[in-house]
Amino acid sequence: DFEASFIRLIDKVTNGSRIEINQTGTTLYYQPGLLYGGSLEHECSPSRGIGYYLESLLCLAPFMKHPLKIVLRGVTNDQVDPSVDVLKATALPLLKKFGVDGEGLEIKINRRGMPPKGGGEILFTCPVRKVLQPIQFTDPGKIKRIRGTAYSVRVSPQMANRMVESARSILNKFLPDIYIYTDHMKGVSSGKSPGFGMCLTAETINGTILSAELASNPQGQGEAVLPEELGQNCAKLLLEEIYRGGCVDSTNQSLALLLMTLGQRDVSKVLLGPLSPYTIEFLRHLRSFFQIMFKIETKTPEEEHVGGEKVLMTCVGIGFSNLSKTIR
Amino acid sequence: MEEKEKKKHRSKHSGPKAEKKRKRYLNELGIGDEENARKRNPKAFTVQSAVRMARTFHRTQDLKTKKHHIPVVDRTPLEPPPVVVVVVGPPKVGKSTLIKCLIKNFTRQKLVEIRGPVTIVSGKKRRLTVIECGCDINTMIDLAKVADLVLMLIDASFGFEMETFEFLNICQVHGFPKIMGVLTHLDTFKNNKQLKKTKKKLKHRFWTEVYPGAKLFYLSGMVHGEYQKQEIHNLGRFISVMKFRPLTWQTSHPYILADRMEELTNPEDVRINPKCDRKISLYGYVRGAHLKNKSQIHMPGVGDFTVSDVSFLPDPCALPEQQKKRSLNEKEKLVYAPFSGVGGIVYDKDAVYIDLGGSHAHEKVVEVRPNHELVQSLISTHSAIDVKMASSKVSLFMDSRPLGSEDVGQEFVMPKEEREMDSKSGRVRRKAVFEEEKENDDAVSDEEDDEEEGEAMSENGSDGDDEDEGEEESDRELLGEEMALGRVKRLKTEVAKEEAVSEVPAFADSDDDLEVSSEGEEGKAAPEESEMEEDEEEELEDEQNESSDSELEAAGKRAAESEQEEINSGDPEMRSGVSERGLKRKAMLTTDSGNCTAEEASESETENSSLAESDDEGSHDELQAQESDGKGSKHTQARKADSVNQSKHKAADDDVENLLRDEDEYEEQIGFSAETTGALKWKEDLTEKAAQAFLRQQRSTPHLRKLVYGTAAEDEDPESEDAGDELGGLFHVSRPDKASKQKANALDCSKFLVEKPQDWALEEVMSSIRDCFVTGKWEDDKDAAKLLEEDEELYGDFEDLETGVVHKGKPASEEDESGSEEEEEAGKTPKPEPEEEEEKKKERMDKKRKLKEMFDAEYDEGDATYFDDLKEEMHRQAQLNRAEFEDQDDETRVQYEGFRPGMYVRIEVENVPCEFVLNFDPHYPIILGGLGNSEGNVGYVQLRLKKHRWYKKILKTRDPLILSLGWRRFQTIPMFYIEDHNGRHRLLKYTPQHMHCGATFWGPITPQGTGFLAVQSVSGATPDFRIAATGVVLDLDKSITIVKKLKLTGFPFKIFKNTSFIKGMFNSQLEVAKFEGAAIRTVSGIRGQIKKALRAPAGAFRATFEDKLLMSDIVFVRTWYPVSIPTFYNPVTSLLKPAGEKDSWSGMKTTGQLRHEQGIKVKQNKDSLYKPIVREKRHFNKLHIPKALQKALPFKNKPKTVEKKGKTPRDQWRPAVIREPHEKKISALLSALSTVNNYKVRKAKMKHKEQLKEYLKVKQKEDEQKFKREKEAKKKIYRILGQREKKMQKSSLKGSSKGEKSW
């Protein structure tokens, strides 16, 4: 279901790709085309969050022929996928580090949609680049502030405040500079299902952004969650993320690694927290597709109180350049 | 009497006196003459004209910025590959002679025949690969793409030839390498002046082609068939200090100029089908970018291939070691040219000759590995084994990789055995990568041993021992068919590995052992030798012990395993196995053994016992065996007890890393065993405990790497080879598969879920991340407080300007100072004021210093332009690139970054057409050009193209054209177009004469900005310029938008006022519906619009026009019809042509050519032929006005019948006057007089005018002078007046002041 929607999305952003699925849906033939971009709209399946689609678009968008401007509709925040808020807060600064910046890079949440019915809408725009810059990103720096969003749709606006209160109660022990926005959507911009949740980001002085998020159980599934509890848990998740550390938060590890791989033929370095299983799988894919292996070094922090072990990933880019961009 | 007025004094206005006076006067006033002022104050005169100044400034800045290039990261490796020097020129210009002379100059060797590239060491840091380029356009194109330096030979006696210009143009398109002209045949000039003139002429023409000031060398003449030594020496010096510019294409793609080719096809296959696809290996230096294994390459002239394997070899032409000498010694002046037979072996069609006594003794002759087919044939001639045997042997050996002959030029000379080892070292770097996929899954692990043994035998064979060979043969036959290609390879790597570890002498001995062991197999085990072995073993063991324990265990296990498996087939083998396999091998074999145990459900005890047995039988090194046994058993037990029990392991061994690694291997093994036993526990374990185990798992780097890259990495990594795959020979399981299986059911999500969050309420947990926040503790160098402190120490006290608070740093020391001062001043009277002052002074000084520092910093920063910043950044990146993998050994480096440029590699390529091998000619360069991602694909490519101005014809759309783009040469069918003002791509039938146009073709995807050139044919020689067009790639796409104009015509069949019904334009209503609203026009220019389809007839429609149509009008609509591009892409396979015809490749012919050949004329449309225009004379009738009408018309309109004028009557004629002679005389005289008078008057007038002019001139002069004088006088007067007034004023001021006082 969501895979089919994903394939449709890929078909939309490309030109000349051929996709064949047999009747039983067990085999997929895919002949890649050319990334085309342009102004698009896509209806995402509500069984997965928009994050699922957006993640892959983030990987592809800098290499389109025309700058991508796409409207995605579906579930903006759910419990499974990284929510749009998190991607907006973490992935975009990461892209900027690779030289994909400028005014075109933006994720805008027009409407929020919670599972199971969705109804959210986002606008994602991304400029195109010919080559990516290599990065040296080995010092995460100290966390200077914590920001966040507590959102609630089709429930009492008080929920958001309650979440904020509880999250602050935990985080205040570490840092005074905490500001969590409450975002209560009303009317048409609130989607079709009720729900609430929050996402927190911790920003360091070097521009590293770590994030954590939690969302309430979708309506009619599981028992109701207390906003206080959710807030606290979310804060704890953020602390966990901070404990893991690294220069890229765990959700975006694979994105960072991919962009490093696709860089110029220079050495890129990035310090990560422990590799997530997804990232490990991703590394294997990178190897089979690009013949690229990362030099993986574990770094044990010398100091006592800066969290768990880190992994230093080093690679030489494959010298990828955007073949679809037109030159004049 | 009135007094007579005295004559006033008249001051002089001219003459020296006046001059002097004036000067004095001016000096008094302080206005010197101009020159003086310039001398006095030059600064005041620097700016003559601001505009001019601005212009000069502009110009200098322009020139400065013109020199800037976009800075690129310098990616050249520390040890760069040899510089490719291409010697190019028309035939008979002296190319080969020049190459020979150059080689002789650099290496003191004389080469008789040059074939293919010759690599020489030209200096401490530079090697050269010299290659000759014939005038075949294919060769020229290929070599222009790889050249770093082009030596362009020009026959001075003839002048420039077309080839030269063609080559220059090719170079321009594919990135301009350094080009150096060399003029030869200068001795043909007898006349010195003529020589000079020619030189100058050629030089200037050359400059216009290359760049003004390009170096042009003169080779004045030949001495004994060689160029003059001094000149060649100079040329060599030039070459060896030359700097090269990085070319975009070359630096972004890996490429190899192959200097050696060998065929690896199974001879049996060739026998069965002589036309079967071949497998070849090519050798050469990697150049350009990093080469990755399994990447796509293109061989110009052959086609696209995927690299099936790459391995790096020791450099055959290595740069000298670090030294402080200025020049190279004889030993280091190496030359390597396998095609020409230098550097060891001479190639012939079907045999290889070993050149034993090289011209230098130190030039180590290659000993060719027996498992090389070609060499095998050689050996067979030596040993006279019957043909079949030989062939079978060959087939066996073919499985393995050919070794050796890479170690050409190794410096040490040694006897046979060492040489073997040497050859082994050749193998050392061999890696088996990714070979497992192709491999037979059922290859039994015991094969390895056999093979190894076989290898040992083969070495024996190479020794020339016929008997051994025979044995080997039989062996082979026994083991026979099971052998899998990859296994052998891997095996060899292992061997090599081991060797790398063990010391040289030890290894040599072990080789001995090998031989012995092979003999022992026959039952001739010699006890003494085995003793010797033991010694060796011990040595080995010691080393291994030192290195690590795990290896020992591994060794033990290995031993055990081999024992188990080969228990029947003699132990010496096993022994040899142990001895041969080095520590790494052993390490990796742990898994194997483990698996075996699992499979056979044999206890570790059995292993032990078996090992013990083996020890007994083979009189093995007991110490080692036992040690390893112990450990092995421990491990196996541990394994069985608990698969993931790490604590136990820790208890068992303190070496955590080792354990972890082992554990990992265990996991794998268990995974495999699981399939046999059906226990899937490990999986559960993995999933369950993943979260907990994660951090621990990632503790050690190699472990993590293994975790990520799984067995695949291990395969690559010879240490861990054999670990995962083919356990028990039955199951081929690769780790990624497993992992994916494990993950298959999981949700595809990038989120990293926290399985077991820590309890953040606890204080210690909280404190674990305390320092991640700005509120936590900082490192010393970043801690603000500390920095502040340091600052204070540095700068002393400072004042916070905002708050006005004065911070005092180091009060104590100040006090001290003041105290000391006080002490000093104790004798004097204490003066607090000066002290304070001093303090203030100091403060001021401090402030100044700080300000200056700040300014300095700012200034230095500010001076750096954007360009400098960029450059700096690039430099930093380059440094990082170099430093990052420097400390790693080549083996691991290759995995991370690929084969870096400068490495000598061996590339295996499969499925090469047999013609390549059969028609191989080393004179033609073989280039392996690496392709980037998706550059192997085909698609539509858009170009900007311009016909070459020297090409005689214009190009036609849809005519096949041969393009050289990227690495490739291919024939394709381009369509030319031009972009209209509204962005429409309109098809052109022909290229414009002198203009750029667009072109689109179906062909290989190549990055935008790549240059290309087009030729119409690569075969034959035409006197004309061959390059038809040049251009650049603009865009790549999967669809195209070229359109051509299509006019649909129709005819009105019913006309109302402005509305008409039109038919004949379309065929159906649907078509009309599509064109509703389209603009239409008649030929006469009446515009209109399509409105709506009519019911009948089909395709008719209603249309409105701006005016009424005529029935005779033709109506048309202008439409654009998309053109499809023929998907024709045909690589030029010139290297596959038989020798001697390589320049005769011809692809698809143009229609014109075909017509010409077949004599077919174009069928012409009769209608479109031009006919002489026949205009029949028009005849108009006379205008006839009826009588009645005539009458009714007013007079002026009435036709007037004008009658002809009659003759004038006689009486109206006027007579002519006839003068009398007298009268005639008078009139003549009068006229003469009047003429004279006229002349006189005119003369007088002229004179008068002249005089007037003169007068006016004089007058003007006088006036001027007068005016001047007056002006002077006035000036004087006014000045005097002014002075007087000033004086007056002064006096008045004084007076007034006085007056004030007086007031």
Side-chain angles (χ1 to χ4, degrees), chain B residues 362-374:
Chain B
H362 61 265
E363 206 120 297
K364 187 71 200 90
V365 171
V366 197
E367 65 318 300
V368 186
R369 299 296 73 231
N371 30 11
H372 190 267
E373 175 226 355
L374 295 170

Side-chain angles (χ1 to χ4, degrees), chain B residues 404-538:
Chain B
S405 63
E406 301 71 81
D407 13 9
V408 190
Q410 298 249 345
E411 246 78 68
F412 32 88
V413 188
M414 49 188 113
K416 277 245 159 134
E417 239 139 61
E418 265 90 351
R419 207 160 63 174
E420 222 95 73
M421 167 253 137
D422 185 24
S423 76
K424 285 223 152 192
S425 78
R427 285 182 213 174
V428 164
R429 313 279 168 78
R430 281 287 157 64
K431 270 194 322 136
V433 195
F434 302 110
E435 212 61 342
E436 275 66 31
E437 293 101 37
K438 295 171 222 149
E439 224 162 88
N440 291 348
D441 287 343
D442 56 351
V444 191
S445 56
D446 63 356
E447 277 172 26
E448 290 168 26
D449 289 32
D450 294 306
E451 280 158 26
E452 201 156 342
E453 168 197 296
E455 197 184 281
M457 301 273 224
S458 70
E459 273 147 25
N460 286 343
S462 72
D463 287 355
D465 193 340
D466 293 4
E467 280 186 45
D468 269 21
E469 263 191 28
E471 290 163 17
E472 178 191 309
E473 218 65 54
S474 59
D475 252 5
R476 288 287 144 73
E477 271 154 313
L478 272 174
L479 306 173
E481 292 73 21
E482 290 167 294
M483 265 187 204
L485 177 140
R487 293 196 75 63
V488 185
K489 281 183 191 164
R490 215 181 319 120
L491 181 78
K492 264 167 205 157
T493 1
E494 287 149 19
V495 173
K497 268 283 132 154
E498 170 213 17
E499 203 191 23
V501 176
S502 63
E503 281 172 2
V504 169
F507 186 70
D509 285 356
S510 71
D511 255 342
D512 263 0
D513 296 353
L514 275 180
E515 286 167 38
V516 168
S517 68
S518 59
E519 280 165 29
E521 203 191 337
E522 295 296 296
K524 299 175 201 165
E528 324 105 81
E529 274 161 352
S530 67
E531 274 168 28
M532 222 172 74
E533 277 173 44
E534 276 177 29
D535 290 355
E536 252 83 75
E537 232 69 286
E538 268 171 13

Side-chain angles (χ1 to χ4, degrees), chain B residues 1021-1041:
Chain B
T1022 49
D1024 288 338
F1025 194 70
R1026 281 181 283 187
I1027 295 166
T1030 55
V1032 71
V1033 178
L1034 288 185
D1035 196 7
L1036 311 160
D1037 213 335
K1038 294 283 180 187
S1039 55
I1040 38 144
T1041 51

Side-chain angles (χ1 to χ4, degrees), chain B residues 967-1030:
Chain B
W967 295 121
R968 300 165 207 267
R969 285 175 276 130
F970 56 89
Q971 197 178 33
T972 187
I973 297 181
M975 306 282 264
F976 304 116
Y977 66 83
I978 200 153
E979 194 173 312
D980 283 347
H981 58 89
N982 55 359
R984 178 198 298 135
H985 292 164
R986 188 157 50 83
L987 186 77
L988 293 177
K989 277 190 178 169
Y990 294 91
T991 56
Q993 273 278 18
H994 306 293
M995 223 170 58
H996 284 285
C997 70
T1000 300
F1001 69 88
W1002 168 260
I1005 298 286
T1006 319
Q1008 305 94 325
T1010 314
F1012 77 94
L1013 67 92
V1015 286
Q1016 282 218 303
S1017 129
V1018 288
S1019 59
T1022 49
D1024 288 338
F1025 194 70
R1026 281 181 283 187
I1027 295 166
T1030 55

Side-chain angles (χ1 to χ4, degrees), chain B residues 37-49:
Chain B
R38 179 164 279 191
K39 260 179 215 159
R40 245 186 302 117
N41 188 7
K43 268 191 183 171
F45 289 90
T46 41
V47 180
Q48 297 282 44
S49 150

